[in-house]
Amino acid sequence: MSRPSVSRRQFLGASGAALVAGLAGCSAGEGGTSTDTASSAETLKIGVLEDQSGNFALVGDPKAKASMLAIEEINANGGIDGMQIETFQRDPQSDNQRYQELTRTAINEENVDALWAGYSSATREAIRPIIDRNEQLYFYTTQYEGGVCDEFTFAVGPTARQQLGIVLPYLVEEFGPDIYTIAADYNFGQLSADWVKVLANENDANVLGEEFIPLSESSFGSTINRIQEADPDFVMSMLVGANHTSFYEQKASAGLDVPIGTSTAMAQGYEHRRLDAPAMANIYAGVNYMEEVPTDSNTGDGGFVDRYFEKYPDAPYLNEEAETNYFSTYMYKKAVEQAGTTEQPEVIDALESGIELGTEEAPEAPEGETIRLDGATHHVDHHMWIMRADEEHNVEAVENRQIPETFLSETAGCNLPENPEQTQYTPVDYYEEAE
């Protein structure tokens, strides 16, 4: 794909370069890092906008911390092509308007070379038009509903097709074909519920009912009653945020002991650590990562878990998105070194060549084995796990395997190097059962 080679950094001209040079070694701002360097040519700048307060703080704060860990490690080992990383880091406070303001600041004032930002899909969609207008290299690291085919966005968390695609067939085989779906009432939950219908059809299962719960809702008595009346073999839950945590406590109090598959619980908000047993009993999470994932690079001596808690001894948990922030920073490092420049069009070209981790040239991702960025779709072929919590909230891995991203590549025909676009495809576009 041919992209303009003139960057914003060049466009700003000599006066802007002089200003950046004069600021080298100064603080990158609230929560930011600084480097003691003589000129801007010896640094690059990464933007990290993750929720550290508000409704998504529980899941966003580990993302920010993991980004800082990766940056600290990279800087301690010589940086990226000899350049130390500076950061522009702010707390958007789980507020999409603030995200938009900070994204504009990161791009137009801080001139970041790459941006990591946002937990929710609503946040991603609030800032993606700004990203696209400014042709900004952007990493979105949350597990999400899938379908984003955007030349400037690298959605490197697992998709619903990958997460639900490992856990739903397992639950059908283990417990039966009848499913009840509960999901957050915004684009992530709605599209994830569509994927449940698609996967149910592929696995000869039935969706008996579905409910969409507002993010502000914390009372689930009527929902639990409807689940009990439907009597499904298992529930698929795509609930999100602090308020929705109440469902798991309330279902335990009501005696609802049906197995629950999920793409959100435990791995993100570590409910199995925060809630009293048996609230999370028989929860089956389809994830690319949890703190308990049993790989040497994760839980082994000196592994990701050890390094994270050495840096953040008071942190409560190391969640799924934190791992994705961490490994995607190393993917960016490898791409810059391959490109030989921080110019964003060239770095995007390098990323689209198919960056891998777990090779001799790059560390293994904590989730395990070699993982690969699919250059055509800007998504990752993840190592996926089913993690189950028992009555005492002990967590074990019951299945794991590599699952490539297939919806964009095989069904929607997303090929960004050949056809740059800024689209989100949905299951309804291709599957009658999702309608």
Side-chain angles (χ1 to χ4, degrees), residues 82-114:
M83 295 176 288
Q84 292 287 290
I85 303 170
E86 294 180 339
T87 60
F88 171 70
Q89 184 185 7
R90 294 289 188 275
D91 175 13
Q93 302 170 359
S94 306
D95 183 315
N96 286 345
Q97 182 175 346
R98 183 166 165 80
Y99 260 110
Q100 291 173 325
E101 294 168 354
L102 288 171
T103 297
R104 292 187 186 99
T105 299
I107 296 170
N108 298 320
E109 297 178 25
E110 296 295 327
N111 195 32
V112 296
D113 294 295

Side-chain angles (χ1 to χ4, degrees), residues 344-419:
Q344 294 183 38
E346 285 85 349
V347 174
I348 290 174
D349 285 343
L351 288 164
E352 289 179 343
S353 72
I355 298 295
E356 291 187 356
L357 297 181
T359 64
E360 291 182 2
E361 297 82 15
E364 180 179 306
E367 66 192 60
E369 296 188 359
T370 300
I371 63 170
R372 177 179 175 274
L373 177 64
D374 177 52
T377 64
H378 293 190
H379 285 64
V380 170
D381 295 339
H382 279 284
H383 193 93
M384 301 301 299
W385 299 79
I386 300 175
M387 305 293 286
R388 174 187 177 271
D390 66 15
E391 292 283 336
E392 302 299 322
H393 289 189
N394 300 307
V395 173
E396 64 172 344
V398 296
E399 187 172 309
N400 71 96
R401 67 179 186 273
Q402 198 90 9
I403 298 184
E405 195 296 314
T406 57
F407 172 55
L408 284 173
S409 59
E410 297 180 7
T411 305
C414 175
N415 190 334
L416 290 163
E418 297 297 327
N419 181 31

Side-chain angles (χ1 to χ4, degrees), residues 28-231:
E30 173 191 331
T33 64
S34 62
T35 52
D36 296 321
T37 55
S39 73
S40 63
E42 297 171 349
T43 67
L44 59 83
K45 184 174 286 188
I46 283 176
V48 180
L49 307 178
E50 302 290 6
D51 299 311
Q52 296 175 278
S53 60
N55 189 40
F56 294 131
L58 193 74
V59 290
D61 187 59
K63 297 179 70 180
K65 285 180 165 62
S67 287
M68 293 303 107
L69 174 62
I71 289 166
E72 180 181 277
E73 290 178 352
I74 290 168
N75 280 343
N77 285 282
I80 299 178
D81 255 0
M83 295 176 288
Q84 292 287 290
I85 303 170
E86 294 180 339
T87 60
F88 171 70
Q89 184 185 7
R90 294 289 188 275
D91 175 13
Q93 302 170 359
S94 306
D95 183 315
N96 286 345
Q97 182 175 346
R98 183 166 165 80
Y99 260 110
Q100 291 173 325
E101 294 168 354
L102 288 171
T103 297
R104 292 187 186 99
T105 299
I107 296 170
N108 298 320
E109 297 178 25
E110 296 295 327
N111 195 32
V112 296
D113 294 295
L115 179 65
W116 279 252
Y119 168 73
S120 76
S121 291
T123 293
R124 183 197 66 243
E125 292 307 293
I127 67 172
R128 196 157 63 89
I130 302 169
I131 297 294
D132 291 336
R133 281 195 300 270
N134 289 277
E135 301 184 358
Q136 173 64 51
L137 171 56
Y138 168 48
F139 289 88
Y140 177 66
T141 60
T142 303
Q143 61 79 33
Y144 85 114
E145 69 278 2
V148 171
C149 179
D150 189 307
E151 58 187 308
F152 304 109
T153 297
F154 287 79
V156 292
T159 66
R161 185 85 156 127
Q162 291 170 301
Q163 292 194 281
L164 303 177
I166 191 170
V167 71
L168 188 149
Y170 176 88
L171 294 175
V172 170
E173 184 175 346
E174 290 291 318
F175 300 109
D178 292 336
I179 306 167
Y180 198 97
T181 297
I182 53 174
D185 191 14
Y186 71 107
N187 56 342
F188 162 75
Q190 294 155 1
L191 291 173
S192 293
D194 287 344
W195 278 116
V196 170
K197 289 185 281 190
V198 171
L199 290 162
N201 183 65
E202 292 176 354
N203 289 273
D204 296 322
N206 314 296
V207 178
L208 302 179
E210 61 181 14
E211 294 188 33
F212 298 100
I213 314 297
L215 291 173
S216 60
E217 185 61 69
S218 59
S219 178
F220 289 89
S222 58
T223 296
I224 291 168
N225 288 338
R226 285 188 287 271
I227 294 171
Q228 290 172 324
E229 290 171 3
D231 191 27

